[in-house]
Amino acid sequence: MNASILVDILKYYGAPMVSNAMPVFIGKGTPIDKNIVWIDNKRLLGDGKTWEGLATGILGGFLASLAIGLYLNNTLFFTKSFIASIAGLLGDIIESFVKRRLGIKRGDPLPVLDQLDFAIGATIAYAVLGEGEVLDPAFLASAYTLIMVLHVTTNTIAYLLKIKDRPW
Ligand code: CTP
Ligand code: MG
């Protein structure tokens, strides 16, 4: 992977990554789904999606986007990066909805989607916001590969530090 691809990955996915990592420190909170059970008798989202987690994620995404926007001296990109971070958090919420419908319990793994849920949300946001270059196949493959590797590494560290109770 060459340096300019790495810089672009950080530019586009840095804030969504920070935003996605923040809720992990929350652990417990008020479930977004208000404990509601769906027609399939399973939770709508589950206890892993909380308002507190969402709020810290939005805050983290805001601060990281601000840093990137200031560094690039680009207000428009700050806005897009912040929106992409929120879209990433929504992607994670949608992923939990899908997991529950598939009968996967909160915290149980759905490989690949668990790691890429937020990245897919962020990619869609950038594409909609006119940053279509994120859809370049070589860039997308590099970004998603790096995110998968980083996700697995950081989650293993978080597990070893007992921040997370499962290594995924
Ligand atoms: N989290 C949160 N609120 C959110 C997103 C995440 O509180 N909106 C916290 C929860 O403590 C969650 C942790 O971040 O356990 C990690 O998120 P994730 O891996 O997406 O959740 P899981 O516990 O694996 O739950 P799910 O099976 O629904 O993906
Ligand atoms: Mg998830």
Side-chain angles (χ1 to χ4, degrees), residues 32-33 36 43-49 93 96-97 100-101:
I32 293 174
D33 70 2
I36 287 171
R43 282 282 293 278
L44 190 63
L45 301 173
D47 287 334
K49 298 298 106 119
I93 291 173
S96 290
F97 177 81
R100 298 302 87 81
R101 304 293 72 76

Side-chain angles (χ1 to χ4, degrees), residues 20-29 32 45-56 89 92-93 95-97 99-100 104-109 114 117 151 155 164-166 168:
N20 187 256
M22 293 301 290
V24 178
F25 297 102
I26 291 296
K28 272 191 181 143
I32 293 174
L45 301 173
D47 287 334
K49 298 298 106 119
T50 68
W51 287 113
E52 291 83 348
L54 184 63
T56 52
L89 293 163
D92 178 43
I93 291 173
E95 195 236 357
S96 290
F97 177 81
K99 282 174 81 175
R100 298 302 87 81
I104 302 171
K105 286 197 203 74
R106 179 257 163 120
D108 282 356
D114 275 333
D117 49 15
H151 203 284
N155 276 27
K164 264 197 128 216
D165 54 10
R166 282 152 208 246
W168 50 77

Side-chain angles (χ1 to χ4, degrees), residues 96-150:
S96 290
F97 177 81
V98 170
K99 282 174 81 175
R100 298 302 87 81
R101 304 293 72 76
L102 294 172
I104 302 171
K105 286 197 203 74
R106 179 257 163 120
D108 282 356
L110 178 57
V112 185
L113 266 191
D114 275 333
Q115 288 77 40
L116 293 182
D117 49 15
F118 79 94
I120 295 167
T123 305
I124 293 170
Y126 282 126
V128 170
L129 294 169
E131 300 286 328
E133 61 197 76
V134 294
L135 299 175
D136 174 76
F139 176 70
L140 206 58
S142 313
Y144 283 12
T145 304
L146 183 71
I147 289 168
M148 292 272 309
V149 171
L150 273 178

Side-chain angles (χ1 to χ4, degrees), residues 3-14 77 133-134 139:
S4 79
I5 289 193
L6 197 59
V7 170
D8 275 344
I9 294 173
L10 281 177
K11 171 182 162 184
Y12 286 107
Y13 294 101
F77 192 77
E133 61 197 76
V134 294
F139 176 70

